[in-house]
């Protein structure tokens, strides 16, 4: 096992070096890479080692050149969405942790770019295409829920008190929450809209946005389609 770990660490180091040297990587190559990385985590036993591997996988983002970051993140989300239905209950926790790490490193990337509006909007486009897409039921709802569940936690870790203290961050914050706002209004299922509203109602987020008044629950219309109506005859 020691040898296996040594070989894996050496391979991971080579991967970091390779990725860091690329100014462009095709979508196909990124999807192939992510399928391999997904199953690398799949095979990893023991929670402590799983978490370490997840952090190592997330650290890849910091080695990338800026033009590669968004395509790399998009390939990550596409892979997670595609493989989600195959994740067994006993393996789910390590992927939930990996997703949390990727939300965090995405915010770190935006912070390193000083939260430039065009970069934040590009990140929003990735979110709205995959994990926070509102209508396509091929996107797993469990993925949607988890991203919204960790959204404020990871934003707080990266931005901290500056969200409330720095006036220039207010507009950045309003841009960042747009995918969640969109889900709250346009989510195909009521449960998705409710989850988005719960995210937006987080006391920390409301304080950062200067929403001191108490949140008011709006009446929900019934879904046109249930999430799953059973098997028809």
């Amino acid at each position: 096992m020691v040898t296996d770990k040594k070989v894996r660490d050496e391979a991971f180091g080579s991967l970091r070096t390779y990725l860091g040297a690329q100014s462009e990587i095709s979508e196909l190559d990124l999807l192939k890479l992510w399928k391999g990385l997904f199953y690398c985590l799949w095979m990893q036993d023991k929670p402590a080692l799983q978490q370490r591997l997840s952090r190592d996988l997330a650290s890849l983002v910091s080695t990338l050149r800026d033009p590669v970051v968004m395509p790399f993140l998009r390939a990550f989300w596409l892979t997670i969405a595609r493989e989600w239905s195959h994740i067994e209950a006993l393996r789910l926790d390590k992927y939930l942790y990996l997703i949390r790490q990727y939300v965090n490193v995405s915010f770190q990337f935006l912070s390193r770019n000083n939260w430039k509006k065009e970069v934040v909007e590009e990140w929003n486009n990735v979110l709205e295409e995959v994990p926070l897409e509102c209508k396509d039921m091929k996107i797993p709802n469990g993925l949607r829920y988890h991203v919204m569940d960790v959204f404020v936690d990871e934003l707080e870790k990266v931005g901290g008190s500056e969200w409330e203290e720095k006036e220039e961050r207010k507009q950045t914050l309003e841009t960042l929450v747009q995918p969640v706002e969109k889900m709250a209004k346009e989510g195909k299922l009521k449960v998705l809209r409710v989850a988005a509203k719960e995210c937006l109602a987080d006391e920390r987020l409301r304080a950062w946005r200067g929403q001191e008044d108490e949140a008011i629950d709006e009446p929900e219309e019934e879904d046109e389609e249930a999430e799953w109506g059973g098997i028809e005859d």
Side-chain angles (χ1 to χ4, degrees):
M1 291 298 290
V2 174
T3 303
D4 292 343
K5 181 179 181 301
K6 181 179 179 182
V7 170
R8 192 190 72 190
D9 287 348
E10 289 176 351
F12 200 80
S14 297
L15 176 61
R16 290 173 65 92
T17 300
Y18 166 77
L19 290 175
Q22 307 306 307
S23 57
E24 183 179 1
I25 306 177
S26 73
E27 177 182 21
L28 180 59
D29 285 343
L30 286 171
L31 289 172
K32 287 179 179 178
L33 171 63
W34 262 113
K35 186 166 186 177
L37 295 176
F38 180 93
Y39 282 101
C40 181
L41 181 58
W42 181 281
M43 299 300 294
Q44 179 64 69
D45 296 323
K46 298 182 180 179
L49 295 179
Q50 291 167 358
Q51 291 188 5
R52 178 190 167 185
L53 178 55
S54 291
R55 291 192 295 270
D56 285 345
L57 291 173
S59 74
L60 291 173
V61 174
S62 65
T63 71
L64 300 173
R65 298 185 180 184
D66 282 2
V68 180
V69 171
M70 290 301 171
F72 185 83
L73 293 174
R74 180 175 178 271
F76 165 75
W77 291 116
L78 287 170
T79 300
I80 294 294
R82 184 188 64 230
E83 302 293 341
W84 184 271
S85 63
H86 304 305
I87 303 175
E88 304 153 354
L90 292 175
R91 287 186 164 98
L92 184 58
D93 280 353
K94 57 185 173 183
Y95 288 103
L96 294 179
Y97 185 78
L98 177 65
I99 290 166
R100 178 182 286 272
Q101 294 303 304
Y102 260 83
V103 173
N104 182 276
V105 296
S106 297
F107 287 147
Q108 288 184 34
F109 171 72
L110 298 178
S111 179
R112 288 197 302 273
N113 280 270
N114 199 32
W115 305 100
K116 291 178 182 176
K117 186 175 182 180
E118 61 271 23
V119 182
V120 175
E121 289 177 343
E122 191 176 1
W123 158 241
N124 283 357
N125 289 338
V126 173
L127 282 188
E128 291 179 12
E129 180 188 358
V130 191
L132 295 186
E133 199 281 335
C134 293
K135 304 291 187 181
D136 187 357
M137 289 297 101
K138 291 181 182 178
I139 302 296
N141 285 332
L143 174 57
R144 291 176 166 119
Y145 298 146
H146 189 57
V147 170
M148 290 188 284
D149 189 48
V150 304
F151 191 92
V152 179
D153 288 344
E154 302 312 311
L155 191 57
E156 182 178 41
K157 290 175 185 176
V158 176
S161 61
E162 74 174 34
W163 294 118
E164 192 168 7
E165 295 173 358
K166 293 185 178 181
E167 190 62 32
E168 64 269 25
R169 288 287 174 262
K170 299 294 186 183
Q171 187 55 52
T172 296
L173 192 58
E174 292 306 309
T175 305
L176 279 168
V177 300
Q178 284 176 2
V180 186
E181 294 270 17
K182 184 175 180 181
M183 181 68 74
K185 295 176 182 177
E186 301 179 20
K188 185 172 184 179
L189 301 175
K190 180 177 179 180
V191 289
L192 295 176
R193 299 192 295 272
V194 169
K197 289 176 182 179
E198 288 175 351
C199 175
L200 295 169
D202 187 290
E203 291 181 357
R204 295 164 296 176
L205 183 57
R206 290 181 60 79
W208 300 339
R209 300 176 75 185
Q211 298 175 331
E212 303 299 339
D213 55 314
E214 187 175 348
I216 300 175
D217 291 331
E218 298 179 3
E220 281 278 5
E221 298 179 0
E222 292 297 321
D223 287 320
E224 293 182 5
E225 299 180 25
E227 184 171 355
W228 184 66
I231 300 175
E232 297 181 0
D233 294 331

